[in-house]
Amino acid sequence: MPELQLTSQAFENGGPIPVEYGYTERNVNPPLEVRGVPDSTETLLLVVDDPDAREPAGKIWDHWVVWNVPADIESIPEDWDATAAGATEGQNDYGETGWGGPNPPDREHSYRFLLYALDEQLDLPPDATKDDVYDAAEGTVVGKADLEGTYAP
C-alpha cells in the first residue's frame, strides 16, 4: 500500500515558500497534492504551523487548521474554498478562520504542513482550535504525512 504523501507544486519539501502566500502579501494557501490515502480513511485533517515562533510568540503559531477534508481529495488548489469542498476551517492564531499565511517577525522560519488520515469524521464547531482538533482526532489517525517550507521576512 502506498504511503500517505503531501507535496506542493509551489515549493519543494524544505524549500522556500513563495512570497505571495505570506500574510502581508496575497495571503492565500499554496496548492497541495495528496497521494496514498489509506483505504480506511474517512476524512483528512490538515494543520499548518510554525514551530520557530516559540521564541518570538511564546508558542507554536497555528496558520491553518482544516478538518473533515474529503478522503478522496487529490488536489487542494491555491486559495482553496474548504467549506465548498465539505471541510471545516478552524481558528488560526491571527484570531481568524481559515488560512493565515507566513509572517515571521524576526528571521526565516520553517512551516510544517501536517496531513493526517482519520478513520472518522470530527464533530467540532468552526471556532475549534488546533488543540481542540488534535484532542478530537486522538485514536483516529491511520496515516500521516508532512511537507515543510521556509519563509523569511
Side-chain angles (χ1 to χ4, degrees), residues 46-70:
L46 179 63
V47 172
V48 179
D49 66 19
D50 172 5
D52 293 334
R54 282 186 190 109
E55 189 173 314
K59 64 181 204 151
I60 295 174
W61 193 267
D62 300 328
H63 289 268
W64 202 20
V65 182
V66 188
W67 63 93
N68 293 339
V69 176

Side-chain angles (χ1 to χ4, degrees), residues 5-65:
Q5 296 176 338
L6 182 65
T7 60
S8 178
Q9 295 174 348
F11 63 97
E12 295 290 324
N13 189 30
I17 298 169
V19 171
E20 66 190 276
Y21 301 111
Y23 189 72
T24 60
E25 300 297 328
R26 288 184 54 224
N27 195 34
V28 298
N29 68 275
L32 300 168
E33 302 293 325
V34 177
R35 300 285 179 265
V37 175
D39 291 340
S40 60
T41 303
E42 287 293 321
T43 63
L44 299 170
L45 162 62
L46 179 63
V47 172
V48 179
D49 66 19
D50 172 5
D52 293 334
R54 282 186 190 109
E55 189 173 314
K59 64 181 204 151
I60 295 174
W61 193 267
D62 300 328
H63 289 268
W64 202 20
V65 182

Side-chain angles (χ1 to χ4, degrees), residues 63-146:
H63 289 268
W64 202 20
V65 182
V66 188
W67 63 93
N68 293 339
V69 176
D72 62 353
I73 198 163
E74 294 180 355
S75 178
I76 295 173
E78 178 181 281
D79 197 17
W80 184 48
D81 183 353
T83 305
T88 304
E89 293 181 294
Q91 293 291 305
N92 61 42
D93 279 332
Y94 294 112
E96 302 165 354
T97 299
W99 172 260
N103 191 24
D106 53 355
R107 59 179 171 79
E108 180 179 274
H109 284 207
S110 293
Y111 294 84
R112 301 181 300 191
F113 291 71
L114 306 167
L115 181 68
Y116 302 90
L118 308 180
D119 64 5
E120 65 181 49
Q121 281 205 303
L122 301 180
D123 184 19
L124 293 166
D127 63 347
T129 64
K130 179 179 78 175
D131 290 340
D132 297 331
V133 174
Y134 277 168
D135 286 348
E138 190 171 333
T140 70
V141 177
V142 295
K144 181 180 176 187
D146 62 12

